[in-house]
């Protein structure tokens, strides 16, 4: 059942959550990453949420699957790695244009 802010269409689309540490001042970095994902994947996404946390937390989760975790993956993703991981989860055959070029 969709929530009040969802349509039946967006309820079926992938949702991304970016959890960031407020004490580490990672809001702007997280918001920039959200903007990059929305610019690239736009209407293919149901939502991109920014989730405030603490304790050095930084992770990116797509429909419950963690695709990036700061400690596990050694820091923050660059935009190329981020978009490729999201693409690989959503539509592995999708061409990301110049991002996929060496």
């Amino acid at each position: 059942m969709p929530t009040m802010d969802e349509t039946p269409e967006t309820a079926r689309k992938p949702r991304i959550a970016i959890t960031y540490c407020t004490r580490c001042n990672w809001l702007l970095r997280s918001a920039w990453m959200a903007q990059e994902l929305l610019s690239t994947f736009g209407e293919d996404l149901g939502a991109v949420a920014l989730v405030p946390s603490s304790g050095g937390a930084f992770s990116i989760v797509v429909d419950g699957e963690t695709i990036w975790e700061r400690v596990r993956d050694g820091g923050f993703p660059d935009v190329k790695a981020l978009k490729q991981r999201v693409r690989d989860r959503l539509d592995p055959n999708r061409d990301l244009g110049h991002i996929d070029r060496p």
Side-chain angles (χ1 to χ4, degrees):
M1 173 68 89
T3 62
M4 284 181 23
D5 60 338
E6 292 179 323
T7 65
E9 182 180 314
T10 60
R12 292 187 298 268
K13 292 181 179 180
R15 302 174 73 78
I16 297 175
I18 301 173
T19 301
Y20 66 96
C21 178
T22 58
R23 293 180 184 165
C24 300
N25 294 317
W26 292 337
L27 172 60
L28 289 178
R29 177 191 309 261
S30 301
W32 170 74
M33 290 182 185
Q35 178 266 318
E36 286 290 330
L37 293 174
L38 288 166
S39 294
T40 299
F41 299 101
E43 294 183 9
D44 294 333
L45 299 174
V48 177
L50 298 177
V51 182
S53 188
S54 61
F58 184 87
S59 64
I60 301 171
V61 176
V62 179
D63 284 344
E65 178 186 338
T66 301
I67 63 165
W68 193 276
E69 200 285 318
R70 183 184 65 83
V71 174
R72 180 192 75 190
D73 295 310
F76 299 96
D78 62 23
V79 72
K80 178 178 180 176
L82 173 61
K83 289 181 180 184
Q84 287 174 332
R85 287 192 187 195
V86 170
R87 182 267 321 268
D88 292 348
R89 177 72 170 78
L90 303 181
D91 182 6
N93 295 320
R94 182 178 184 150
D95 182 12
L96 292 176
H98 71 280
I99 288 179
D100 282 333
R101 313 280 185 276

